[in-house]
Amino acid sequence: MSNLFMLPIIDLALCTEGIAEEVEEDTSAAVVGSMSIALGINTFLIPNKVLDGGIIGLGLIISYLLNTNAGFTIMVLSIPIFALAWFKYRSYFFNSLHGMLLSSFFIDLFHNVNQVPIKFSPILSSFTGGVFIGFGIGLMLRFETSTGGTDLLAQYFSEFIKINVGIIILIMDVFVICLGGLFVSTETFFLSAITISSGGITTSLCTWNFKSNDY
C-alpha cells in the first residue's frame, strides 16, 4: 500500500526534475545565443557602422547617430512590442523577455570589444557579424526563445494584410537598412544587406528541420 502512495510523489519528482533541466537548457541557450549576438554586433558591425535588421538595426542607427548604448536603446525600443505581446501573445512575452534582456545586457557589456583591432575588410566583417548574430538567434529559436522584436509585429500585421510573415519581416529589414543608408551612409546600406543575408542563412541552418510551437 505504501508503494501506491509513493508513486505520485515519484512522478512529481521526475516531472519537476524534467522541468528544471528544460529551464536550465533554455537559459543556457539564451545566454550563449545572446553572447554570440553581442560579439557579432560589437566586434564586426559597430566598427564599420553596419546594421542588422529589425529592432537591433533601429537601435544601432540611433546608437550611431546619438552615441547611445546600443543594448539599452534596443531594450527601450522593444518596450512597445512587449506591451503588445503581453496583451495579445502572452506566450511570446514569456518566451522572449529573457532573451531580449540578456542580449541587450551582453551587447552593452561587450561594448569595448569593438576597440580590439581586427583586420577584416568591411565586407568580410559584415558577413562574419551576420553569421555570429544568425547563430545566436538560431540557437535561441532551437530552444523556443528569442530576442523579441519585429517578428511579433510581422505576425500581428499578417493578421490584417494577409501576407506571409517571412515576407513582412524581410520588408521590415529592408526598410531598416534603407533608413541606415539614408541617415548613416550608402556603404552602411550595402554592408547591412550582406549582414542580413548571412545572418538569415545561418539562422535557417541552425533551425533546419526544427518545429517550434506557434505563439
Side-chain angles (χ1 to χ4, degrees):
M1 182 67 69
S2 61
N3 290 336
L4 293 177
F5 286 110
M6 288 298 295
L7 286 176
I9 298 176
I10 294 173
D11 289 342
L12 178 60
L14 291 174
C15 181
T16 303
E17 182 180 355
I19 293 174
E21 289 179 356
E22 183 177 347
V23 170
E24 184 178 350
E25 288 179 352
D26 292 350
T27 302
S28 298
V31 170
V32 174
S34 296
M35 292 175 67
S36 180
I37 292 171
L39 286 172
I41 289 173
N42 283 294
T43 308
F44 301 103
L45 267 58
I46 289 180
N48 296 290
K49 292 192 180 299
V50 180
L51 306 173
D52 189 30
I55 293 297
I56 291 178
L58 290 175
L60 288 174
I61 291 174
I62 294 174
S63 177
Y64 295 151
L65 296 177
L66 303 180
N67 198 30
T68 60
N69 290 334
F72 178 77
T73 305
I74 292 167
M75 184 174 64
V76 171
L77 291 175
S78 298
I79 291 175
I81 296 176
F82 278 89
L84 173 64
W86 175 259
F87 291 106
K88 195 161 181 66
Y89 304 99
R90 192 66 60 87
S91 61
Y92 180 98
F93 178 92
F94 290 111
N95 287 342
S96 302
L97 181 63
H98 62 300
M100 183 273 291
L101 292 175
L102 282 170
S103 60
S104 298
F105 169 75
F106 281 115
I107 287 170
D108 284 346
L109 181 66
F110 293 168
H111 173 69
N112 290 331
V113 172
N114 62 36
Q115 298 178 9
V116 178
I118 296 181
K119 296 180 180 180
F120 283 178
S121 68
I123 292 177
L124 183 56
S125 289
S126 301
F127 177 84
T128 308
V131 170
F132 270 82
I133 295 170
F135 171 77
I137 293 174
L139 178 63
M140 285 194 277
L141 290 175
R142 293 285 303 190
F143 290 87
E144 299 190 344
T145 186
S146 72
T147 60
T150 51
D151 47 344
L152 171 67
L153 291 180
Q155 181 179 342
Y156 181 71
F157 290 147
S158 69
E159 296 180 3
F160 299 98
I161 58 179
K162 305 304 179 184
I163 298 178
N164 181 272
V165 173
I167 295 176
I168 297 176
I169 292 174
L170 176 61
I171 293 172
M172 289 181 173
D173 287 346
V174 171
F175 175 73
V176 169
I177 65 173
C178 285
L179 286 179
L182 180 63
F183 291 106
V184 183
S185 71
T186 304
E187 184 181 23
T188 292
F189 171 81
F190 290 106
L191 293 176
S192 300
I194 295 172
T195 297
I196 290 174
S197 299
S198 64
I201 292 171
T202 305
T203 299
S204 298
L205 291 174
C206 290
T207 55
W208 191 263
N209 290 332
F210 174 70
K211 294 183 179 179
S212 174
N213 296 325
D214 292 329
Y215 290 117

